[in-house]
Amino acid sequence: MGLGDVTRAGVLAAVAECQQLGREAFRRRYGFGRAKTYELVWNGNRYDSKAIAGVAHLYSVGSLLSADDFSGGARTVAHRLRTLGFTVEDSAVADEPEQVAPQIVLQPRGGSRDRGPQNFAKSVRQGVPIGDLKDVLGEQADVLTALYPDGIARLWGSTPTRQVNNEKVRALRDRRVGDDVFFYAENHFLARARILHLFDSPHVARRVWGTDEDNATWEHIMALGEVEEFSTRVPAAPILRRLDVRVPLRSLTLRSAEKYRHVAHLLPERRQPVLPQPSTSCPSVPSQLTAADLLDRIGSLGTRRHSEDTASDRHRSLALLWAVSRIAAGEPRLAPWSSFRADVDPLLTEFGVPGLKAVPASPFWDLQDSGLWEVHGIESDADSVPRAEVLDEVRPVAGLTQASAELLQNPLTRLEAVVNLCSTYLDDVDQRALLSRVGLAGYATADGVLDEDEGGHGQEITDEERATGPTARRDSTSSRLVRNTLIVKQVKDMHGHACQVCGTRLQYMRRPYSQAAHIRGLGSPHDGPDELPNLLCLCPNHHVLFDGLEIYVDVDGMVRQTHGGDILGHLRRHVDHRIDEAYLQYHRTLCELSRLTKK
């Protein structure tokens, strides 16, 4: 695949996204520099031609062309864009500073004593609503609102230091926007992000994180984007040694772009495309779209257009479910018409209204009325759906708006959207089969779809391998999630190996035996965190029932059966074991979906 696969619709989609983000943020998000020679000119605005072409390839065929994949000369990018009918002119941004290669910032997350896991979950993974900080942000309010149009800021801070020129002082002084931050804990790197903005504010820091035992607060603040938690934590020692950093990492540390390049091969490649940054949506959707707004729009598909047409509602809901599954799989939010038709047509045929011919062009076009969907590359006509032949010729792209896709990155919002679609429009279909078809089979259990062999299931023996004597063995390669054995031991010790549901204390081989259960599972699509607030101490029986969505913890802390609602008793608590209510809510929502799919 190359520039020849870029379509006009893909270019228009990339231009729209660049217009929403701004040129600098758009380039930074996708790893491009400024245009040195050629710019695309569209509706009186100028865009970096190479960056537009690379992202247009993502929306045209599903894969991003990075800055290193192609050149931006007259015979390549400029030629392709002109062939597609666009105007390309000599660059007019010579006074703009050159893009600087990112440095690497090594950031200790902190342990439980410093509330490191909780602070990371709160302000980086989940993010902080900007509205909760309005009275303390001052002049930073406009900056953060521009960086995070969905209203959720990803922040991390550092406490001040009285030293003059140690590692932390140099890092605070010399780090800059565009640098990559790697979060460190327990001898591993667990996540990375990119610095979007730097500012100092003790008032904001106290509001977000409080103070430490010395009454200091984390006032030197980084606003972060492109946050990516690693599915498998990365051993830190080899990387630190190559960077001339002591092991273990004790302090905020900065190393140059050149040294960063020397260890890049030891670090996971960025997802392609990188995790989306918040941006404004298309004009029909408020820039501050909330999760509640999104779910309300999903629940009212039938009131937007053709309200009397049940088939239209069903088909649009199936297309939306397909779009949600793309977000869960890390695929681009926009897809070309050919991909949409190939994927959605079979869904409409199997799960649509029986006896009704599937017409994928209808949801492809009509979903624009939901305010969650956009189409690029074809003129809008609110009164008619383009014929399939026209779509084949024009090759438009369509999918979720940027704001909708951002909200659906949140696992709970994504799950609630699936439940909303299934309960409102798809209650008479085989929902388990449907979820499996679109790649959301992991919602069938609380632990989700784990890596190969993670669930302990072996492969079935072949006839050739079947023989008398010892069971045959087969070599295999698999990847497994790296789990924190320390917090597993911690939760078991806190509860004395007593099940938090029934109180049973088992003995096995003269030792106490219990199991640590993740509330929001580690497997896909749950992608829960491996931390103490996401764990329960259970006996094997109740662990199986909890993972199988047969029991859940209600809002009052009562353990109930999912089917029937019978109460088993209060969830047993320990004063030192804080359980995050958000994870229990996620599990309850999974159980609600389980009730729907087992009707």
Side-chain angles (χ1 to χ4, degrees):
M1 293 184 180
L3 289 173
D5 297 301
V6 171
T7 64
R8 181 177 176 83
V11 173
L12 292 173
V15 165
E17 186 170 330
C18 183
Q19 188 175 31
Q20 294 165 6
L21 289 172
R23 287 178 66 170
E24 182 181 352
F26 181 79
R27 293 197 306 262
R28 184 174 60 240
R29 179 183 177 196
Y30 291 106
F32 286 89
R34 67 180 179 86
K36 296 180 180 179
T37 309
Y38 297 105
E39 292 178 314
L40 182 148
V41 181
W42 180 252
N43 287 341
N45 296 313
R46 307 180 77 89
Y47 303 89
D48 301 280
S49 59
K50 188 173 180 181
I52 292 295
V55 178
H57 192 273
L58 170 69
Y59 293 139
S60 298
V61 295
S63 62
L64 177 73
L65 285 180
S66 71
D68 296 330
D69 290 334
F70 64 108
S71 66
R75 296 183 179 181
T76 54
V77 169
H79 174 72
R80 182 57 185 165
L81 293 176
R82 286 167 177 157
T83 299
L84 293 172
F86 294 97
T87 300
V88 180
E89 297 179 354
D90 288 345
S91 174
V93 291
D95 57 339
E96 189 176 329
E98 291 282 348
Q99 184 183 33
V100 179
Q103 304 173 106
I104 184 170
V105 180
L106 309 174
Q107 173 66 68
R109 184 202 61 186
S112 56
R113 179 180 178 183
D114 302 317
R115 304 194 302 276
Q118 296 92 327
N119 287 338
F120 183 87
K122 174 184 179 182
S123 65
V124 177
R125 180 182 299 128
Q126 298 171 9
V128 181
I130 295 174
D132 294 349
L133 307 174
K134 284 288 188 182
D135 58 324
V136 293
L137 276 174
E139 62 183 11
Q140 300 298 330
D142 291 340
V143 178
L144 293 187
T145 299
L147 287 173
Y148 305 102
D150 68 341
I152 304 297
R154 317 286 171 175
L155 305 177
W156 192 259
S158 299
T159 55
T161 176
R162 296 180 180 178
Q163 299 297 318
V164 178
N165 198 32
N166 63 1
E167 287 280 14
K168 184 174 183 179
V169 170
R170 291 192 292 271
L172 290 173
R173 180 188 63 215
D174 297 333
R175 64 185 176 175
R176 60 196 179 213
V177 170
D179 287 345
D180 285 341
V181 181
F182 285 79
F183 286 90
Y184 170 95
E186 299 161 354
N187 300 312
H188 288 78
F189 290 115
L190 56 97
R192 75 170 144 222
R194 183 155 290 171
I195 300 177
L196 303 182
H197 180 56
L198 294 165
F199 66 101
D200 295 341
S201 175
H203 300 296
V204 171
R206 287 193 185 96
R207 178 68 59 83
V208 176
W209 302 293
T211 58
D212 63 13
E213 57 187 11
D214 298 323
N215 202 36
T217 192
W218 294 266
E219 62 189 71
H220 304 297
I221 300 174
M222 300 182 288
L224 302 173
E226 300 176 24
V227 177
E228 178 184 353
E229 294 189 59
F230 302 136
S231 57
T232 301
R233 295 188 175 191
V234 180
I239 298 168
L240 295 177
R241 292 191 184 102
R242 291 195 180 205
L243 293 171
D244 298 323
V245 177
R246 286 187 178 182
V247 181
L249 181 68
R250 297 293 188 188
S251 172
L252 179 71
T253 301
L254 177 72
R255 288 295 182 264
S256 68
E258 182 180 1
K259 288 194 172 182
Y260 185 9
R261 285 193 291 270
H262 290 164
V263 299
H265 66 286
L266 300 176
L267 296 163
E269 293 185 4
R270 283 195 180 275
R271 297 176 184 174
Q272 295 294 333
V274 295
L275 289 180
Q277 289 304 294
S279 70
T280 56
S281 57
C282 63
S284 62
V285 183
S287 60
Q288 296 297 324
L289 184 73
T290 67
D293 295 332
L294 181 142
L295 296 173
D296 177 67
R297 288 171 180 270
I298 288 175
S300 57
L301 288 178
T303 65
R304 306 272 173 185
R305 181 186 180 104
H306 307 313
S307 57
E308 74 285 354
D309 189 350
T310 303
S312 179
D313 298 343
R314 169 70 63 83
H315 290 177
R316 280 180 285 174
S317 65
L318 288 168
L320 271 183
L321 188 65
W322 168 82
V324 171
S325 73
R326 288 176 61 85
I327 300 300
E331 296 178 0
R333 63 185 178 90
L334 301 177
W337 156 247
S338 58
S339 296
F340 179 93
R341 180 179 57 186
D343 291 346
V344 175
D345 192 17
L347 294 179
L348 304 185
T349 300
E350 183 172 354
F351 300 100
V353 177
L356 187 67
K357 181 182 179 181
V359 184
S362 293
F364 183 88
W365 188 255
D366 286 343
L367 271 170
Q368 293 176 91
D369 292 331
S370 70
L372 306 174
W373 190 265
E374 58 188 44
V375 179
H376 297 276
I378 186 170
E379 293 298 322
S380 176
D381 182 350
D383 295 326
S384 63
V385 176
R387 298 191 310 275
E389 301 79 37
V390 174
L391 297 177
D392 290 341
E393 179 180 356
V394 177
R395 301 166 67 190
V397 300
L400 294 164
T401 64
Q402 187 70 37
S404 305
E406 273 300 321
L407 290 170
L408 290 166
Q409 293 285 347
N410 181 289
L412 178 57
T413 303
R414 189 166 64 236
L415 173 59
E416 289 175 333
V418 172
V419 171
N420 201 332
L421 288 167
C422 288
S423 61
T424 307
Y425 309 103
L426 304 167
D427 58 342
D428 60 343
V429 305
D430 186 341
Q431 294 179 4
R432 293 177 71 87
L434 172 59
L435 294 178
S436 179
R437 174 68 67 85
V438 298
L440 296 175
Y443 284 138
T445 63
D447 50 359
V449 177
L450 297 166
D451 291 339
E452 182 181 355
D453 292 336
E454 185 72 19
H457 302 294
Q459 293 177 301
E460 186 174 339
I461 191 170
T462 66
D463 291 338
E464 291 78 8
E465 293 169 326
R466 197 181 310 277
T468 58
T471 301
R473 292 182 178 273
R474 177 185 298 155
D475 292 335
S476 65
T477 301
S478 65
S479 63
R480 297 174 64 87
L481 294 165
V482 178
R483 291 173 173 165
N484 188 339
T485 58
L486 295 179
I487 61 171
V488 169
K489 182 178 186 302
Q490 187 178 1
V491 74
K492 292 179 179 181
D493 289 345
M494 277 182 180
H495 295 276
H497 291 271
C499 176
Q500 288 183 254
V501 173
C502 64
T504 299
R505 286 184 171 87
L506 296 175
Q507 291 285 322
Y508 177 71
M509 298 183 71
R510 300 182 181 179
R511 292 182 179 181
Y513 180 78
S514 60
Q515 296 180 349
H518 287 88
I519 304 170
R520 195 181 106 198
L522 302 186
S524 176
H526 313 312
D527 300 324
D530 195 20
E531 60 182 22
L532 187 61
N534 191 34
L535 285 181
L536 295 176
C537 179
L538 300 177
C539 67
N541 283 350
H542 284 115
H543 190 177
V544 169
L545 293 175
F546 190 85
D547 280 357
L549 307 178
E550 298 294 339
I551 59 174
Y552 68 96
V553 182
D554 70 15
V555 294
D556 297 317
M558 304 296 294
V559 182
R560 292 180 176 271
Q561 291 182 347
T562 300
H563 305 282
D566 293 347
I567 296 177
L568 305 184
H570 275 289
L571 183 73
R572 290 164 168 81
R573 304 269 187 166
H574 188 282
V575 65
D576 294 326
H577 181 199
R578 184 186 68 83
I579 300 172
D580 194 323
E581 173 60 27
Y583 301 143
L584 291 175
Q585 181 185 353
Y586 184 92
H587 186 268
R588 284 195 293 272
T589 309
L590 267 183
C591 290
E592 181 181 350
L593 181 60
S594 177
R595 283 192 292 269
L596 291 171
T597 58
K598 291 183 179 179
K599 285 182 179 179

